[in-house]
Amino acid sequence: MNSLKTIFDYDTWQEIFGSIDKNKIRTLVTVIGVLWGIFIYITLSGSAKGLDNGFDREFQDMAMNSMFVWPQSTSIPYAGFKIGRSPRLTIQNVKTLKQQVPEIQYIAPRNARGVRSGPPASVVYRDISRTYNIYGDYPEYSEISTKKIYKGGRFINNADITNKRKVCVIGERTEKELFEEDENPVGKFIRIDNVYFQVIGVHKYNPGGGFETDGDIFIPFETFRNLYNTGDKVNWFVIAAYDNADVILVEKKVKKVLKRIHKISPDDERAFGSFNIGEVFNRIKGFADGMTFLSLVVGLATIIAGVIGIGNILLISVKERTKELGVRRALGATPGEVRIQIVLESVFLTLIAGVLGIILGAAALATINFFTQDLAEFPYTNPTVPPLLVLGALLIMTVMGTLIGLIPAQRAVSIKPIDALREE
């Protein structure tokens, strides 16, 4: 009860502020050390979170455990074949891969016009003519790369594949360039390379949703085969593994199976190219976690140094106030009251520095966010620190301030009143 009375006593706080006022410069310099530590922690960990959020935003509609695999050219002679041979992916490879790589959840063979094969397609609506990339796709592709379809439309389904329907999903830029502003393109017919297709949907552009552009057009894979006479050829595979699978291992297995199918040396690393989103995502995640850990270590070390500095200041303050403390003891102040006052001063300085550091760190993150939020080409957004981590940092600082304050507090309590009153 006496402890609470001492904490909320006006005279206690008057003495604390008086002590701080006597050592303004010294106190300020030491407080800055604690402030700088929490500022570093907030800024670095928040920046790491912003990078993590930015990458999530860029690939929010793309399965994080997905990859792209495409044929290139061989670099090692094998089974009687010379180097420089280009393997040919086929639709039959899909069944083989699903059977021999059980970790695969979805596999979508893709063909394209204007991306990896041939010039863009000529697209005509009424008297407007443009050229766009055309993709031949299966419905599984939308399971790997989510397509935001609006205007009341839909993406390609299995019936479109089975019946080889002449239907298409256009991009929002395609819509703007071919149709009137108030015209709904769904249900209308456009001419793609002199063949009429009915528009069944409009996809909204997403820079991380499969690397397509806002003008690309999707048609059923089987229809693409007939339109461009591609036979069983596939330009590349888009593959998604199950959530609990190791995407790097899945990529190796896929390439191993494809090499065996196409009689390519197991040691040939150039025959098939790939881009593993899961691997890239894990690297970014690891970098962000590393930055968070680094910010914690550097921030904590700086805070500890600053708190120790506060303890040193209080030791000096106790030494300078020896006579004052002796008078207080002689007038009846208990050792507990003296101890609480010194510890309270330590905790107060630590918390003030911590709160100021948090405010400055939040201001720095807000500034960073202001200058990066509109940068579409830079994967960075909403740099923040979870409130629980901030509260945890304040709690740690309170505990550290209390512990470090006990040292000068004990020094103050150990002073005998008679010895203090004798000191000049």
Side-chain angles (χ1 to χ4, degrees):
M1 206 57 187
N2 289 332
S3 298
L4 287 175
K5 183 179 178 182
T6 303
I7 291 173
F8 295 104
D9 187 67
Y10 174 77
D11 290 337
T12 300
W13 287 99
Q14 191 175 34
E15 289 183 25
I16 288 174
F17 287 119
S19 174
I20 294 172
D21 188 59
K22 290 177 182 176
N23 306 285
K24 292 178 184 176
I25 303 299
R26 194 165 58 196
T27 303
L28 178 63
V29 171
T30 309
V31 164
I32 287 175
V34 179
L35 181 153
W36 184 245
I38 194 70
F39 174 80
I40 288 175
Y41 170 68
I42 295 293
T43 306
L44 287 182
S45 58
S47 298
K49 185 62 177 176
L51 185 65
D52 200 15
N53 291 339
F55 192 78
D56 284 341
R57 179 195 66 187
E58 289 298 307
F59 293 94
Q60 61 182 336
D61 293 322
M62 195 76 190
M64 287 295 107
N65 54 345
S66 61
M67 68 194 76
F68 301 82
V69 179
W70 61 88
Q72 298 184 146
S73 61
T74 58
S75 60
I76 300 175
Y78 186 75
F81 294 99
K82 297 179 180 180
I83 65 171
R85 178 169 57 96
S86 296
R88 178 188 174 102
L89 295 179
T90 66
I91 194 67
Q92 290 79 16
N93 296 160
V94 174
K95 184 177 179 180
T96 306
L97 286 171
K98 286 284 285 183
Q99 289 175 343
Q100 299 188 21
V101 187
E103 295 90 346
I104 293 178
Q105 184 177 17
Y106 300 108
I107 178 168
R110 304 195 76 192
N111 278 333
R113 191 79 173 176
V115 182
R116 291 178 56 85
S117 178
S122 172
V123 180
V124 179
Y125 179 68
R126 294 178 181 167
D127 58 345
I128 302 174
S129 177
R130 296 283 190 276
T131 58
Y132 301 103
N133 297 329
I134 304 293
Y135 290 88
D137 279 308
Y138 275 86
E140 284 80 4
Y141 182 61
S142 65
E143 299 291 341
I144 303 173
S145 174
T146 304
K147 294 301 168 195
K148 297 179 180 178
I149 308 295
Y150 64 111
K151 298 286 183 180
R154 63 173 177 83
F155 194 65
I156 295 161
N157 61 28
N158 287 318
D160 298 328
I161 299 293
T162 303
N163 299 315
K164 302 178 182 179
R165 290 172 177 167
K166 295 181 178 64
V167 294
C168 66
V169 177
I170 65 174
E172 56 182 342
R173 176 167 62 88
T174 313
E175 176 197 9
K176 292 177 182 178
E177 293 177 351
L178 297 181
F179 296 88
E180 299 291 338
E181 186 174 347
D182 57 349
E183 184 178 10
N184 188 345
V186 176
K188 301 294 194 306
F189 286 84
I190 61 175
R191 199 164 75 245
I192 301 176
D193 283 340
N194 294 319
V195 176
Y196 282 95
F197 282 76
Q198 185 178 31
V199 178
I200 58 172
V202 181
H203 70 88
K204 198 164 186 63
Y205 176 56
N206 173 31
F211 308 102
E212 292 97 9
T213 70
D214 54 357
D216 294 335
I217 298 176
F218 306 100
I219 66 176
F221 187 90
E222 294 297 325
T223 310
F224 187 100
R225 289 175 68 179
N226 288 345
L227 181 62
Y228 296 108
N229 193 28
T230 57
D232 60 358
K233 179 185 176 183
V234 173
N235 286 147
W236 72 94
F237 292 131
V238 183
I239 299 170
Y242 286 100
D243 291 338
N244 59 350
D246 183 340
V247 290
I248 298 176
L249 182 60
V250 173
E251 179 186 352
K252 291 179 179 178
K253 285 186 175 182
V254 167
K255 288 185 176 181
K256 183 178 180 180
V257 171
L258 289 175
K259 288 175 185 177
R260 186 169 61 248
I261 294 172
H262 297 282
K263 293 182 171 56
I264 295 170
S265 170
D267 300 323
D268 195 334
E269 298 299 327
R270 204 178 69 184
F272 292 100
S274 61
F275 179 74
N276 195 320
I277 292 179
E279 182 181 7
V280 175
F281 182 75
N282 289 338
R283 286 179 181 176
I284 297 294
K285 203 81 172 173
F287 177 74
D289 291 343
M291 276 192 65
T292 302
F293 179 74
L294 177 65
S295 68
L296 180 63
V297 171
V298 174
L300 190 61
T302 310
I303 290 170
I304 291 174
V307 171
I308 291 174
I310 289 176
N312 288 333
I313 279 186
L314 292 178
L315 280 172
I316 296 171
S317 176
V318 167
K319 177 68 176 175
E320 293 174 345
R321 294 162 58 195
T322 298
K323 189 170 184 179
E324 172 194 329
L325 293 171
V327 171
R328 287 195 62 198
R329 293 290 305 280
L331 293 176
T334 65
E337 290 173 342
V338 174
R339 184 181 290 110
I340 288 174
Q341 179 184 334
I342 302 299
V343 170
L344 198 59
E345 185 174 344
S346 174
V347 173
F348 174 73
L349 290 175
T350 305
L351 284 179
I352 286 295
V355 171
L356 288 175
I358 290 170
I359 292 173
L360 291 176
L365 292 178
T367 304
I368 293 171
N369 186 54
F370 177 78
F371 286 107
T372 58
Q373 61 184 348
D374 296 325
L375 299 177
E377 68 280 3
F378 185 60
Y380 193 91
T381 185
N382 193 26
T384 55
V385 179
L388 284 178
L389 291 182
V390 176
L391 292 175
L394 282 175
L395 179 62
I396 291 173
M397 293 177 69
T398 302
V399 173
M400 290 174 61
T402 302
L403 294 176
I404 205 71
L406 288 174
I407 299 174
Q410 190 59 40
R411 171 76 177 83
V413 169
S414 66
I415 299 173
K416 295 180 180 180
I418 190 66
D419 293 335
L421 293 174
R422 284 177 182 160
E423 191 166 303
E424 291 298 331

